[in-house]
């Protein structure tokens, strides 16, 4: 297989569909890469930076706005898909809604044969929280390969960022399904975006 080139992200990219339930998932015909993270971790902004599109994934200051699995087609002809997952750990949503979203995330991660890797986003200002731990444990149990991406690195001073990075790396080593290396990013400053693109394309070809 010829290695995929990052210029793919300069080509055709489009929103495919939202899936509120598993029966609405697109046919599993191409590799998928998922992005998961706490609400307001900057997931939509990072997907926009990754794809070089300002408005591809909807961004909002309201935690929990993304309530469905949102799929984006990369390439024409189609090469792979990105899945933008519902944010977890939101406090303002009703418990029944939270439970519904959690089941959707669980079922997608456990049962999606074409899912190559999940990128778990961690806010550089806060590090790994209990809700993140729950998801990392769930990914371990489902044997879903994942890699941690730290977001909003520009919002933290260098010394604090390095300290948080060290803690996150130490925690990642405890999880069998976690990739050993972190990617540190800033959507605003475009920090780490090239590295993230490379990591995504490598995962697609696993």
């Amino acid at each position: 297989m010829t290695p995929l080139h990052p210029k793919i992200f300069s080509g055709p990219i489009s929103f495919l569909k939202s899936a509120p339930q598993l029966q609405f998932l697109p046919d599993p015909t191409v590799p998928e890469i998922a992005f998961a993270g706490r609400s307001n971790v900057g997931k939509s902004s990072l997907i926009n930076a990754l794809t070089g599109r300002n408005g591809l994934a909807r961004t909002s200051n309201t935690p929990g706005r993304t309530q469905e699995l949102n799929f984006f087609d990369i390439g024409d002809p189609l090469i792979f898909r990105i899945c933008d997952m519902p944010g977890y750990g939101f406090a303002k949503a009703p418990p029944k809604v939270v439970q519904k979203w959690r089941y959707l995330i669980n079922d997608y991660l456990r049962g999606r044969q074409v899912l190559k890797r999940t990128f778990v986003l961690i806010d550089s200002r806060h590090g790994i929280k209990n809700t993140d731990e729950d998801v990392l444990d769930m990914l371990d149990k489902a044997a879903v390969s994942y890699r941690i991406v730290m977001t909003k690195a520009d919002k933290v001073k260098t010394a604090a960022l390095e300290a948080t990075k060290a803690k996150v790396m130490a925690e990642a080593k405890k999880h069998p399904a976690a990739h050993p290396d972190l990617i540190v990013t800033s959507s605003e400053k475009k920090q780490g975006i090239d590295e993230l693109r490379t990591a995504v394309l490598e995962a697609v070809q696993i």
Side-chain angles (χ1 to χ4, degrees), residues 43-45 47-48 51 53-60 72 84:
K43 187 155 45 65
S44 296
S45 295
I47 290 173
N48 288 337
T51 58
R53 269 74 170 173
N54 288 331
L56 185 69
R58 293 178 300 173
T59 59
S60 172
F72 304 92
D84 180 10

Side-chain angles (χ1 to χ4, degrees), residues 21-98:
Q21 296 174 315
L22 291 183
Q23 62 261 40
F24 297 105
L25 293 178
D27 291 337
T29 54
V30 295
E32 289 175 2
I33 301 294
F35 283 82
R38 279 201 317 271
S39 297
N40 235 16
V41 74
K43 187 155 45 65
S44 296
S45 295
L46 190 68
I47 290 173
N48 288 337
L50 172 74
T51 58
R53 269 74 170 173
N54 288 331
L56 185 69
R58 293 178 300 173
T59 59
S60 172
N61 290 324
T62 305
R65 177 172 174 180
T66 304
Q67 301 178 21
E68 302 168 332
L69 298 169
N70 292 312
F71 290 88
F72 304 92
D73 284 350
I74 313 296
D76 185 12
L78 179 62
I79 300 170
F80 69 100
R81 288 193 175 104
I82 287 175
C83 175
D84 180 10
M85 300 176 66
Y88 56 81
F90 30 80
K92 295 182 180 178
K96 284 187 177 179
V97 174
V98 173

Side-chain angles (χ1 to χ4, degrees), residues 124-136:
S124 295
R125 299 170 298 180
H126 308 303
I128 294 177
K129 295 206 166 190
N130 290 339
T131 47
D132 298 312
E133 279 286 358
D134 290 344
V135 171
L136 299 185

Side-chain angles (χ1 to χ4, degrees), residues 71-201:
F71 290 88
F72 304 92
D73 284 350
I74 313 296
D76 185 12
L78 179 62
I79 300 170
F80 69 100
R81 288 193 175 104
I82 287 175
C83 175
D84 180 10
M85 300 176 66
Y88 56 81
F90 30 80
K92 295 182 180 178
K96 284 187 177 179
V97 174
V98 173
Q99 187 179 51
K100 178 185 172 186
W101 294 351
R102 186 170 178 80
Y103 284 152
L104 179 64
I105 292 171
N106 266 344
D107 291 345
Y108 170 74
L109 291 174
R110 288 175 178 274
R112 195 67 169 167
Q113 297 269 331
V114 293
L115 178 61
K116 295 294 187 176
R117 177 159 291 162
T118 298
F119 288 85
V120 181
L121 277 48
I122 301 294
D123 194 319
S124 295
R125 299 170 298 180
H126 308 303
I128 294 177
K129 295 206 166 190
N130 290 339
T131 47
D132 298 312
E133 279 286 358
D134 290 344
V135 171
L136 299 185
D137 288 340
M138 181 181 70
L139 288 164
D140 289 336
K141 289 173 184 173
V144 174
S145 171
Y146 62 92
R147 188 165 181 176
I148 294 176
V149 179
M150 293 177 61
T151 62
K152 304 185 180 183
D154 59 307
K155 308 295 185 188
V156 186
K157 291 183 178 178
T158 303
L161 178 63
E162 288 302 316
T164 302
K165 181 180 175 182
K167 288 180 181 177
V168 172
M169 287 188 73
E171 185 59 39
K173 288 177 181 177
K174 301 176 186 176
H175 292 273
H179 190 285
D181 297 326
L182 303 182
I183 302 175
V184 180
T185 66
S186 162
S187 298
E188 284 189 21
K189 306 292 185 184
K190 302 298 184 281
Q191 176 185 347
I193 300 303
D194 287 343
E195 185 182 355
L196 180 60
R197 286 174 178 162
T198 299
V200 167
L201 295 180

